[in-house]
Amino acid sequence: MGFGDLKSPTGLQVLNDYLADKSYIEGYVPSQADVAVFEAVSGPPPADLGHALHWYNHIKSYKKEKAGLPGVKKALSKYGPADMEDTTGSGATDSKDDDDIDLFGSDDEKESEKAKRLREERLAQYESKKAKKPALVTKSSILLDVKPWEDETEMAKLEECVRSIQADGLVWGSSKLVPVGYGIKKLQIQYMLEEQITAFEDYVQSMDVAAFNKI
């Protein structure tokens, strides 16, 4: 586990990828895990790392409240993607030959050919695993009651008209006729919306339907 050197562009990229589908380092509320990682970052991530920058600004807003966040702060190497090599200095290396090799070292440091090769291999493995993850498509399922004017309304034609409505991300689902009284039946039909807003993944982490009102 681990993010690597969070003061380097590579480490920040790993953090950004990790937060692509998460609000916090652990769980669903800010905790000492966020504080530990926040303290390891030297400053705000660049704007092109939207997930990391949003998380950084959110944790920064707690200011003096950070000490009161739940959880127990652990070593930085205990957080992050499980398939990343720990390079913070607290984790064990694969072999004796790998000792003292900083895979996420500063660009100013003179790296050996072996260190470069190992870093490239590990990053390639990580990018390959990340690319294989299926894309998450957010959908909202909504159930509608469509009531006719009278009992003589042709309900099959009514449903045909409803299903003729087309829009990006709109998928019509199952339907049924439900009696409402006096021989009148209403059309109950379900539809799903694939959220287009979440396509802006550089800025949007997730979206939920907070309320659905008829206007």
Side-chain angles (χ1 to χ4, degrees):
M1 297 182 70
F3 295 102
D5 182 3
L6 286 171
K7 293 179 173 59
S8 72
T10 303
L12 289 175
Q13 182 65 61
V14 174
L15 175 63
N16 187 70
D17 294 341
Y18 181 76
L19 291 168
D21 57 355
K22 300 175 180 65
S23 297
Y24 303 103
I25 300 300
E26 287 185 346
Y28 301 98
V29 296
S31 67
Q32 291 301 315
D34 295 282
V35 177
V37 177
F38 177 87
E39 291 175 347
V41 179
S42 59
D48 60 334
L49 301 181
H51 303 303
L53 179 60
H54 175 78
W55 166 85
Y56 179 91
N57 289 334
H58 179 55
I59 300 304
K60 182 181 179 181
S61 68
Y62 282 89
K63 298 181 180 178
K64 295 181 180 180
E65 299 173 6
K66 292 189 188 74
L69 294 178
V72 177
K73 191 185 299 183
K74 296 179 288 187
L76 186 61
S77 60
K78 300 298 182 182
Y79 307 114
D83 52 357
M84 280 297 296
E85 181 74 12
D86 172 30
T87 61
T88 60
S90 58
T93 54
D94 291 339
S95 66
K96 185 176 180 180
D97 291 339
D98 291 342
D99 288 347
D100 301 325
I101 295 177
D102 181 8
L103 301 183
F104 297 91
S106 168
D107 293 337
D108 297 331
E109 296 176 2
K110 184 178 180 181
E111 296 178 308
S112 67
E113 289 301 319
K114 186 172 184 178
K116 291 180 181 179
R117 186 179 71 254
L118 284 172
R119 182 176 64 179
E120 291 171 358
E121 290 175 356
R122 300 267 167 74
L123 288 175
Q125 292 173 1
Y126 174 72
E127 292 296 334
S128 176
K129 290 181 180 180
K130 185 182 68 171
K132 293 178 181 178
K133 292 182 179 179
L136 297 177
V137 178
T138 304
K139 295 182 179 180
S140 297
S141 178
I142 301 172
L143 187 65
L144 299 177
D145 281 344
V146 185
K147 300 175 182 177
W149 287 107
E150 56 188 2
D151 59 348
E152 295 182 359
T153 299
E154 188 178 346
M155 298 303 292
K157 182 62 178 177
L158 185 151
E159 181 174 351
E160 181 183 339
C161 292
V162 172
R163 290 183 181 274
S164 69
I165 300 172
Q166 301 294 323
D168 290 343
L170 172 63
V171 180
W172 291 106
S174 60
S175 65
K176 64 180 179 179
L177 297 178
V178 180
V180 295
Y182 302 102
I184 299 176
K185 294 182 179 179
K186 65 181 178 181
L187 172 67
Q188 197 169 75
I189 187 168
Q190 183 181 50
Y191 73 94
M192 292 183 292
L193 285 173
E194 294 185 358
E195 311 297 0
Q196 302 302 309
I197 292 177
T198 55
F200 301 103
E201 58 182 15
D202 288 342
Y203 305 98
V204 181
Q205 182 192 84
S206 63
M207 191 188 81
D208 298 312
V209 176
F212 189 83
N213 300 312
K214 181 171 63 175
I215 300 175

